[in-house]
Amino acid sequence: MTVLRLIAPAKINWTIEVLRIRPDGYHEVRSVLQTIDLHDTVTLTDAVGIELVLTGDAGALADEPPDQNLAYRAAAALQRHIGTTPGVRIELAKRIPVAAGLGGGSSDAAAVLRGCNRLWHADRPDAELARIAAEIGSDPPFFVTGGTATVSGRGEHVEPLDDAIAPAMLLATPPPAERGAKTALMFAALTPEHFTEGEATIGLRDVVAAGRAVNDAELANVFERVLTRMQPETEKVMDALRAQGTSPHLAGAGPSFFLLLDDAADHAALARRVRDLGFEPHFVRTLSRIDALRLEEL
Ligand code: C5P
């Protein structure tokens, strides 16, 4: 029996900008995405049909029907593409907070696509896996590439970059009650005055290409413009940290956020402060493409 193990890392957006609303209703985005070392673990074994087993901190995922889960849908989408129905038992050990803006579900889906491609000897190239991933959502295609990458379109055009150099980070996630399916609402809250030409993304891409370390001044997130109205709790906690002289950045469409850690800062005190404000602190680092795409046969 074949057993494959992959990690499914979370992501943050170094930049995320919106250029316009597209005719299909989606937003045209420019973003530099980055995998980080907070990750779920995906174990795949041969089975009859598609089985999904959730372990760890599955949160609201545990209550939804298995065939709604993005990981399950990824396996079903690959079956459709190859025109046969080999089976798989998907064990998802969840550590990435669910619905927190960290791309956990999308990452699980990409890991299942890559893993099933191997398990079922489907041998589809990454470009095709990315196209299948785009049927599942706007974020899964990025996770087929991992590491640092620029995305455009609604998220499905992925251009890999060299791994970014960045300091360690403190990620802060709200309690589960503060989370929810906010992405669509966050996009819907944007108006043309929030739209840009994608300059911050071009700037960040140049920083990465030049091998310079990512720093606060170069990060940009369009959703911070609507945070006060849409996610007042996150805004309040970010404001409290700003008052301490730090520069919090929203993770994706929120409600999580992260700080780049300065060597001179008291990291433990910052983590305590995050916890006192009701958010969960996680110390994280960027995860290189090689580590993000690791696939082990056990
Ligand atoms: O693609 P995904 O299903 O992850 O997106 C969730 C929702 O976010 C979409 O239904 C859409 O309302 C919004 N969205 C958008 N523009 C994007 C990506 C997502 O408007 N580029």
Side-chain angles (χ1 to χ4, degrees), residues 16 18 27 182-195 221-236 238 242 250 252-254:
I16 179 161
V18 168
H27 290 72
K182 294 214 176 84
T183 307
L185 292 176
M186 291 298 279
F187 273 108
L190 299 175
T191 56
E193 78 205 49
H194 304 126
F195 299 168
N221 186 320
V222 64
F223 297 113
E224 289 179 5
R225 309 275 307 273
V226 294
L227 204 57
T228 315
R229 181 156 49 93
M230 300 299 294
Q231 297 180 28
E233 193 55 36
T234 295
E235 177 76 349
K236 206 172 80 189
M238 285 170 70
R242 271 187 204 109
L250 196 64

Side-chain angles (χ1 to χ4, degrees), residues 6-10 36-41 93-96 108 287:
L6 303 95
I7 65 165
I36 58 174
D37 63 359
L38 173 66
H39 67 86
D40 294 341
T41 303
K94 293 294 300 178
R95 280 180 55 226
I96 305 172
D108 296 342
L287 191 68

